[in-house]
Amino acid sequence: MIYEYESRVRYSEVDDHGEMTLFALMNVMQDCCTFHGEECGIGLAWNMERGCAWIIANLQLKIDRYPRYAEYIRVITWAPSFRGIIGRRNFRVEYPDGTRIAEGTSEWLYMDMVHLAPLRIPKEQGAYGLHPEKELTVETGKRKIFLPENMQEESPLTIRKYHIDTNNHVNNAQYIRISSYSLPAGFKPLGMRVEFKKPALLGDVIIPSTAPVSDGNGYFVCLADTEGAAYFTAEYTS
């Protein structure tokens, strides 16, 4: 099935210009896919009882505009394909009249959270329904992100309880939030490709680093551990 819900941009979701933040935009998409699971009867509790969860591997997003405070929006998601341990999920955020706000594609791993190992997607997950005919192509670059050598380290930060979700690691949207602190003031991405490399846990120290994209059109951001292994990498473009 294709799942959608309607929302209104809250004051808590906007920046100092009254526009929805990238963090909030990530959250409404994340909420949409979790609501989708609940609607299909294979939601949070169903997966937790089995010690399993969907874990995002990568996301590409194209943004046409950032909605403003109090505007109504519609958030839509569907699964175009499952293959082995990988499920693809598409997103669209739009105004009620159908005007596009953002579109994205993502890949997710179905994981055994007890043994921290990927699992073949069980047949019950077919309740989502697949829509290969609606597969989106979001052209923001290859899924694999290759960071330049001139990454500049910034001040470290420690993972707090408010970063953690029900999987006991840093929530997907929190990586977006943390990495956005490294972007210059006033820079709001219109293109984003990110890789979620490994989970950060409560108490972990994260060291952000940044570098400009070679054409001057954006910035790379890496969130790494103290040994230099990446938790999260991103390319944000204008």
Side-chain angles (χ1 to χ4, degrees):
M1 67 179 291
I2 297 172
Y3 180 80
E4 64 180 62
Y5 79 100
E6 293 190 355
S7 188
R8 195 176 189 186
V9 180
R10 299 164 175 82
Y11 186 75
S12 59
E13 295 177 317
V14 300
D15 60 17
D16 55 341
H17 296 292
E19 292 183 335
M20 181 178 256
T21 63
L22 186 60
F23 171 57
L25 186 60
M26 181 70 183
N27 268 322
V28 298
M29 294 191 300
Q30 179 172 251
D31 289 341
C32 193
C33 68
T34 55
F35 291 157
H36 191 190
E38 300 302 327
E39 193 73 11
C40 293
I42 46 173
L44 182 63
W46 190 94
N47 285 296
M48 290 184 73
E49 287 172 3
R50 291 157 178 79
C52 297
W54 284 102
I55 303 299
I56 191 168
N58 58 70
L59 169 71
Q60 298 196 32
L61 186 68
K62 289 287 287 184
I63 303 167
D64 293 293
R65 68 202 74 202
Y66 285 86
R68 298 190 61 81
Y69 166 67
E71 288 185 329
Y72 290 94
I73 62 173
R74 180 185 299 122
V75 191
I76 308 165
T77 190
W78 62 95
S81 65
F82 289 163
R83 186 182 72 255
I85 61 174
I86 298 174
R88 289 185 59 78
R89 178 174 288 278
N90 292 173
F91 297 96
R92 181 180 172 94
V93 185
E94 63 187 28
Y95 288 113
D97 67 0
T99 301
R100 187 177 65 185
I101 293 169
E103 280 188 342
T105 66
S106 58
E107 291 185 334
W108 300 67
L109 299 175
Y110 194 71
M111 293 285 291
D112 177 339
M113 300 303 289
V114 176
H115 301 97
L116 297 179
L119 292 176
R120 189 169 188 86
I121 300 169
K123 64 181 187 303
E124 291 88 347
Q125 295 292 315
Y128 280 117
L130 300 180
H131 297 273
E133 78 285 355
K134 292 185 68 65
E135 174 74 87
L136 293 177
T137 301
V138 178
E139 297 294 343
T140 60
K142 296 180 180 179
R143 287 191 294 273
K144 180 68 175 177
I145 297 173
F146 295 95
L147 298 173
E149 295 182 358
N150 61 333
M151 300 289 288
Q152 298 296 309
E153 287 190 3
E154 301 177 357
S155 299
L157 60 92
T158 302
I159 295 302
R160 307 296 185 186
K161 286 185 178 180
Y162 60 82
H163 294 119
I164 303 298
D165 63 17
T166 56
N167 293 316
N168 292 313
H169 59 220
V170 172
N171 181 260
N172 306 327
Q174 291 288 350
Y175 290 107
I176 305 297
R177 185 184 202 178
I178 294 168
S179 64
S180 68
Y181 297 153
S182 297
L183 299 175
F187 179 82
K188 295 199 75 169
L190 297 179
M192 176 178 86
R193 59 189 185 110
V194 300
E195 285 189 282
F196 299 84
K197 309 286 281 187
K198 69 171 186 172
L201 308 177
L202 182 65
D204 284 352
V205 174
I206 283 183
I207 301 176
S209 60
T210 61
V213 174
S214 59
D215 62 5
N217 194 40
Y219 299 88
F220 291 104
V221 182
C222 177
L223 305 178
D225 64 18
T226 54
E227 302 299 318
Y231 294 111
F232 169 93
T233 58
E235 182 188 39
Y236 296 112
T237 53
S238 59

